[in-house]
């Protein structure tokens, strides 16, 4: 990966719908050359997908929370299948520390969150933090040297 690839990644993280022509102008390449580089970055797994960033609150999901969960290793396969089946689970990460999982979830009400936490507790102890506000939202990774 060279500096041009990094520039392309930076531009796509800012706006994944940016046209090839605009990227080409910013990198001083032709559109076909940019397209070939993007295809290679996709094949190599550097670019793993393109996503719309949706505001959950605008869709009625006013409760965003982080849930720590302590899952014993032998229950992880069953837990992962369960977590993947729940559309309210935005992220599920296996982490170090007192708890083994950290989940980000979105619900329309605290009642729904409470029901979900009750279901989670069959896998282990939980600790939940509800988000009041987010001052630094999701953003891309720094690709510059």
């Amino acid at each position: 990966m060279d500096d041009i690839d990094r520039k392309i990644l930076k531009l796509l993280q800012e706006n994944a719908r940016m046209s090839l022509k605009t990227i080409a102008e910013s990198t001083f390449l032709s559109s076909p050359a940019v397209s070939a580089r993007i295809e290679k970055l996709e094949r190599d797994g550097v670019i793993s997908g393109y996503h719309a960033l949706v505001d959950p609150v605008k869709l009625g999901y006013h409760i965003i929370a982080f849930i720590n969960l302590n899952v014993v290793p032998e229950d992880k396969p069953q837990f992962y299948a369960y977590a993947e089946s729940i559309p309210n689970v935005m992220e599920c990460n296996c982490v170090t520390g007192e708890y083994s999982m950290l989940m980000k979830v979105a619900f329309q009400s605290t009642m729904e969150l409470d029901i979900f936490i009750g279901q989670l507790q069959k896998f282990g102890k939980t600790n939940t933090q509800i988000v009041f506000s987010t001052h630094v939202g999701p953003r891309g990774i720094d690709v510059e040297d």
Side-chain angles (χ1 to χ4, degrees):
M1 184 174 348
D2 62 14
D3 288 341
I4 294 172
D5 288 336
R6 286 183 179 82
K7 176 72 172 177
I8 291 169
L9 290 172
K10 184 175 188 292
L11 292 168
L12 288 174
Q13 286 185 111
E14 290 170 5
N15 178 4
R17 296 186 68 189
M18 185 174 290
S19 71
L20 289 176
K21 180 181 177 194
T22 303
I23 296 170
E25 289 169 356
S26 296
T27 57
F28 306 104
L29 296 175
S30 67
S31 292
V34 168
S35 180
R37 283 177 176 261
I38 291 172
E39 287 173 13
K40 183 175 184 330
L41 291 167
E42 291 169 346
R43 270 194 319 276
D44 292 347
V46 176
I47 297 175
S48 60
Y50 299 89
H51 311 277
L53 187 56
V54 176
D55 183 344
V57 174
K58 301 254 188 214
L59 296 176
Y61 293 89
H62 298 277
I63 308 299
I64 307 297
F66 288 94
I67 303 172
N68 289 292
L69 173 66
N70 198 9
V71 179
V72 295
E74 55 270 11
D75 290 343
K76 282 183 180 181
Q78 181 186 2
F79 167 73
Y80 287 142
Y82 174 73
E84 286 177 10
S85 75
I86 306 297
N88 302 78
V89 175
M90 299 170 69
E91 287 183 33
C92 180
N93 302 282
C94 185
V95 297
T96 61
E98 183 180 346
Y99 294 90
S100 57
M101 297 293 158
L102 176 62
M103 304 170 70
K104 182 178 181 180
V105 298
F107 286 92
Q108 293 183 336
S109 70
T110 54
M111 232 169 60
E112 290 177 349
L113 175 61
D114 185 42
I115 291 167
F116 176 69
I117 291 169
Q119 294 167 346
L120 271 184
Q121 289 175 339
K122 70 181 177 188
F123 293 104
K125 178 183 168 194
T126 63
N127 181 299
T128 303
Q129 297 87 40
I130 294 176
V131 175
F132 287 145
S133 62
T134 301
H135 297 282
V136 178
R139 58 183 177 186
I141 190 79
D142 184 12
V143 294
E144 305 206 21
D145 285 335

